[in-house]
Amino acid sequence: MAAVMVARQGRELQRYSASTGGRVVVGCVPYRVRNDGGGEVEVLVISSQKKGPAGGVLIPKGGWELDESMDEAARREAAEEAGVVGETGPALGRWCYRSRSYDATYEGFVLPLRVTRELDRWPEMAARRREWVSAAEAIARCPHLWMREALQRFADTVAAEATTHLASAL
């Protein structure tokens, strides 16, 4: 019998930004390369827990806690919110954004996460849908500017790596 993962809750271990005073969050862009010969890169997006205009698709993200590395936080959020496990790469960047729920400016970091396994069960499976889409579709459907910028940076990085790989193969 497999153990059931439980999502972390509470703010006791939450990191706060010295520059903004708000929470520090870490997110990831879960991705895979299709094995159908085309080598297309797809990203995994999740539905928002909010309904209506504030909804849309998102990337997994959440608070970076004091007892974990940035990499561990990104992998934890991917498992809790999207039900995927994988390997992270170097951070795509740092963004500051205004919270829609609180009067605070958050500091966010986003890492790419190459998905190695999709889980059948995960903590937020009842609250979120997950969907594999192109990076362009994810950018078009995401309501948050900072996440769209992170997705665009991911897409640009993947395109540059694919071009370099293709050129070296010739």
Side-chain angles (χ1 to χ4, degrees), residues 33-169:
V33 179
R34 290 182 49 156
N35 294 330
D36 60 6
E40 180 186 358
V41 174
E42 296 178 308
V43 298
L44 184 68
V45 292
I46 57 175
S47 61
S48 171
Q49 290 182 330
K50 296 176 183 172
K51 306 297 180 221
V57 299
L58 312 171
I59 58 175
K61 65 111 180 101
W64 178 11
E65 298 186 358
L66 295 170
D67 65 343
E68 61 190 355
S69 67
M70 186 183 296
D71 172 75
E72 289 168 334
R75 287 186 285 117
R76 175 179 50 78
E77 290 297 335
E80 288 178 1
E81 294 187 353
V84 293
V85 176
E87 300 168 359
T88 57
L92 296 166
R94 172 189 171 269
W95 288 266
C96 289
Y97 66 96
R98 206 69 194 139
S99 168
R100 291 185 178 188
S101 304
Y102 303 100
D103 184 25
T105 298
Y106 289 0
E107 182 176 3
F109 297 88
V110 178
L111 289 71
L113 181 125
R114 186 179 61 79
V115 173
T116 56
R117 186 168 55 123
E118 286 186 57
L119 305 174
D120 293 329
R121 299 178 57 81
W122 66 96
E124 296 188 18
M125 66 185 285
R128 298 186 188 273
R129 291 179 327 280
R130 60 185 180 187
E131 180 181 4
W132 288 103
V133 299
S134 69
E137 184 176 344
I139 292 165
R141 292 174 54 196
C142 183
H144 304 289
L145 176 62
W146 76 277
M147 286 188 190
R148 290 194 309 268
E149 289 176 357
L151 285 159
Q152 186 62 61
R153 192 167 297 168
F154 169 80
D156 293 345
T157 301
V158 169
E161 288 174 1
T163 303
T164 301
H165 179 68
L166 180 61
S168 66

Side-chain angles (χ1 to χ4, degrees), residues 22-42:
R23 291 193 320 139
V24 179
V25 300
V26 175
C28 66
V29 178
Y31 73 96
R32 68 181 180 190
V33 179
R34 290 182 49 156
N35 294 330
D36 60 6
E40 180 186 358
V41 174
E42 296 178 308

